Amino acid sequence: QVQLVESGGGLVQPGGSLRLSCAASGFTFSLYVMSWYRQAPGKGRELVADITTTGGSTNYADSVKDRFTISRDNAKNTAYLQMNSLKPEDTAVYYCNANFKTLAYWGQGTQVTVSS
């Protein structure tokens, strides 16, 4: 069955780094645009970054530009989010999303907490 499994979240101090991974199975990964979203307590889910099927084009929320990098490895069916210079306001549950035409899949989320 379709699965998106996020990993790599945790507690990090301000200024630190984390790398999130999203392992996909059960569908043709290379056909899907991959995105990372996040949801902070009491707030709606927001798009953090997305990447096209070949990885040739990426898009970022203004709040994470120049700090976060999205990438993918189609041979490993995995998407990544490298997060540097983390701030307390980056604290949220981070979700992986796969999208192809009318099909959309979500992972279960991974918690990222930025605190000293």
Side-chain angles (χ1 to χ4, degrees), residues 4 6 22 32-37 47-51 70 72 79-81 95-99 105-106:
L4 290 174
E6 299 101 333
C22 172
Y32 285 68
V33 172
M34 296 301 298
S35 305
W36 287 94
Y37 287 75
L47 176 65
V48 175
D50 57 40
I51 186 167
I70 189 171
R72 66 190 295 161
Y80 305 95
L81 186 68
Y95 297 92
C96 177
N97 169 270
N99 190 280
Y105 306 125
W106 291 91

Side-chain angles (χ1 to χ4, degrees), residues 36-101:
W36 287 94
Y37 287 75
R38 67 186 180 187
Q39 187 164 18
K43 296 189 176 181
R45 194 171 293 190
E46 65 168 345
L47 176 65
V48 175
D50 57 40
I51 186 167
T52 53
T53 56
T54 61
S57 181
T58 57
N59 175 58
Y60 297 92
D62 287 343
S63 58
V64 307
K65 269 180 189 173
D66 301 323
R67 299 190 297 123
F68 290 11
T69 302
I70 189 171
S71 61
R72 66 190 295 161
D73 186 336
N74 286 348
K76 295 183 178 180
N77 290 349
T78 302
Y80 305 95
L81 186 68
Q82 177 67 43
M83 305 186 296
N84 299 328
S85 303
L86 283 160
K87 305 175 180 180
E89 51 264 43
D90 295 318
T91 295
V93 178
Y94 283 72
Y95 297 92
C96 177
N97 169 270
N99 190 280
F100 173 65
K101 296 185 178 180

Side-chain angles (χ1 to χ4, degrees), residues 16-33:
S17 297
L18 283 174
R19 188 193 196 203
L20 305 184
S21 298
C22 172
S25 60
F27 62 97
T28 307
F29 180 78
S30 61
L31 294 180
Y32 285 68
V33 172

